[in-house]
Amino acid sequence: MDQKLYLSIDCGFDKFKCCIGDYLLAFSSKMIDVTNSINALSVADGDNTYIEYKGSVYMFGDSIDQIISMKSNLEMYAEDLDSYRNKNRFKDRTFHISLLAAIGYSIIAYDTIYNPEKDVDQHLFRNLDNLHYFIGIALPYNSMNEWPQIKEFLKQRHQFKIRRGSKSCTFDFDLDLSKANFLCNAQVITAFLFQGASSDGNLTINKAALPCIMMDAGYKTVGLFELAKDLSINPNTADSNTEHAMYNVDKLVEAEVRKAGREDFSYLQVQYHARGEGAPTVRRNKTIINVKDIYEKILEEEAIKLCKLLEDKKYSLDDVENIFITGGTGIAYYPHIKKFMAENYGLTKVVLTNRADDGSEISPMYAIVIGLHKQLKYRYK
């Protein structure tokens, strides 16, 4: 009998968040074509990760942030990375291949975690045909119409290689997804399922927590909807806002850093400096510019603007019991939104969705993919 494998992927503009089995992982969704670089696949080392598919070679994952922190590399790849960070990305072949990379990378991570005795340098996935795949994909609310084309691409046999890590491991995939079962849902809906459904997918939310506002704040969009006590959604206030996401924060930071003298600075570099992975400052001759301080100031301003948007769009801020906040950007916005609501709507609770079913703490950036995983397992029991 074939073994079932459940895999869910939240297709964020900044990161892929994946749940395979019960194992969670996240990595940058940036991808660059390095086919014409010198022998790219054969020299992979460090944290660099590559996928080779139908004659093309792409680098993907977290190491790209380190690469584009240098001006010369940024100039080389900025145009491709910029074009990949808009809603048209879901129509693009590069996105389709990045989904394959996410699937393959998740299988590798799962396999090496749960089968540590295997020699990962030599292990080829020869038994993939014995798996019955159930794959969930979460997309932005306004990009759900792209799902038929994405599914058409995925639902076939794929042969590709993934090379990763300091051990220079190459993994050969012959992955037949033609008989896989797929599920797609909007990110903001599955974010609610994280909060309101049990691990087996049954709705268990306490009606005392309703009505509520669900806010899924991501890199390029902020998903919003109101949920009434009868679990109905108000279509007039459902929104996928693109004016107050982390991308907008990064673009404003870019402008301020350039104004301070570093005219070649790009929004693509902001998170690397602001999150602590890189130095918090950049230099221009003898001038030191604190990117992180600029970022923190603008972040607070944009969080308040988002609250004002809720007021302008007539959200029922005095009538809802809770505002549930999730997503990577939601983590950053949360303290500022909580403070605003306490000062202006004191009886409405602001809740960061950071508790798993067993009460343990979990990063809100995984809320979407966990909610999707619950729905996937419920749909295909």
Side-chain angles (χ1 to χ4, degrees), residues 324-341:
F324 293 112
I325 298 179
T326 192
T329 300
I331 300 171
Y333 278 170
Y334 168 70
H336 306 298
I337 294 174
K338 185 177 178 68
K339 180 182 177 184
F340 177 90
M341 291 300 298

Side-chain angles (χ1 to χ4, degrees), residues 8-10 14-19 23-29 60-62 102 105-106 109 363 365-366 369:
S8 298
I9 302 173
D10 169 20
D14 187 44
K15 287 183 179 293
F16 280 122
K17 282 78 69 176
C18 306
C19 183
Y23 177 64
L24 294 167
L25 67 156
F27 49 93
S28 175
S29 57
F60 68 95
D62 295 335
Y105 192 78
S106 297
S363 172
M365 76 172 178
Y366 289 116
V369 74

Side-chain angles (χ1 to χ4, degrees), residues 32-245:
I32 53 180
D33 188 338
V34 294
T35 304
N36 296 323
S37 299
I38 300 173
N39 213 9
L41 193 66
S42 66
V43 299
D45 58 10
D47 294 324
N48 296 344
T49 312
Y50 300 84
I51 179 170
E52 181 180 12
Y53 182 73
K54 293 189 175 180
S56 296
V57 183
Y58 299 84
M59 180 189 293
F60 68 95
D62 295 335
S63 60
I64 292 179
D65 285 331
Q66 300 170 25
I67 292 168
I68 63 172
S69 66
M70 294 178 61
K71 176 182 176 180
S72 56
N73 288 331
L74 177 64
E75 290 176 348
M76 188 184 310
Y77 297 118
E79 184 177 348
D80 289 341
L81 289 171
D82 187 60
S83 65
Y84 191 57
R85 287 194 163 192
N86 61 60
K87 286 190 287 187
N88 288 328
R89 71 181 283 224
F90 301 109
K91 307 174 186 288
D92 191 81
R93 179 177 184 267
T94 302
F95 172 73
H96 295 168
I97 296 171
S98 73
L99 265 184
L100 275 188
I103 291 170
Y105 192 78
S106 297
I107 292 173
I108 292 170
Y110 180 79
D111 193 74
T112 50
I113 286 290
Y114 289 97
N115 298 282
E117 74 282 359
K118 289 184 178 177
D119 182 347
V120 294
D121 285 321
Q122 301 297 325
H123 179 50
L124 301 179
F125 289 86
R126 298 187 181 92
N127 296 318
L128 291 179
D129 285 341
N130 296 328
L131 295 174
H132 189 182
Y133 295 96
F134 301 88
I135 298 176
I137 304 292
L139 296 173
Y141 180 78
N142 286 351
S143 298
M144 288 291 292
N145 60 329
E146 304 299 338
W147 171 237
Q149 290 74 31
I150 296 169
K151 182 179 178 181
E152 183 181 2
F153 168 78
L154 289 175
K155 203 171 178 64
Q156 57 182 306
R157 194 176 199 105
H158 301 279
Q159 294 176 324
F160 59 96
K161 294 181 180 181
I162 288 183
R163 187 173 177 118
R164 67 158 195 167
S166 57
K167 291 186 177 181
S168 296
C169 313
T170 300
F171 300 89
D172 292 85
F173 282 85
D174 187 357
L175 186 62
D176 188 359
L177 299 180
S178 61
K179 296 180 181 179
N181 294 97
F182 290 94
L183 170 71
C184 183
N185 204 346
Q187 291 165 332
V188 69
I189 302 295
T190 63
F192 166 73
L193 294 176
F194 168 79
Q195 188 71 28
S198 61
S199 58
D200 59 5
N202 289 304
L203 286 177
T204 57
I205 192 167
N206 186 344
K207 289 293 183 74
L210 301 174
C212 73
I213 294 172
M214 195 75 216
M215 178 187 296
D216 164 36
Y219 187 79
K220 203 66 185 282
T221 62
V222 178
L224 295 161
F225 70 80
E226 289 182 302
L227 197 67
K229 270 193 176 292
D230 64 353
L231 299 179
S232 63
I233 295 174
N234 183 347
N236 295 321
T237 54
D239 190 22
S240 186
N241 181 272
T242 58
E243 296 175 358
H244 301 291

Side-chain angles (χ1 to χ4, degrees), residues 304-343:
I304 300 306
K305 288 179 185 177
L306 183 57
C307 293
K308 296 290 188 182
L309 173 75
L310 295 177
E311 292 181 323
D312 293 342
K313 284 187 169 289
K314 311 300 183 186
Y315 278 78
S316 308
L317 297 179
D318 267 325
D319 299 321
V320 297
E321 295 297 328
N322 294 280
I323 299 177
F324 293 112
I325 298 179
T326 192
T329 300
I331 300 171
Y333 278 170
Y334 168 70
H336 306 298
I337 294 174
K338 185 177 178 68
K339 180 182 177 184
F340 177 90
M341 291 300 298
E343 292 173 350

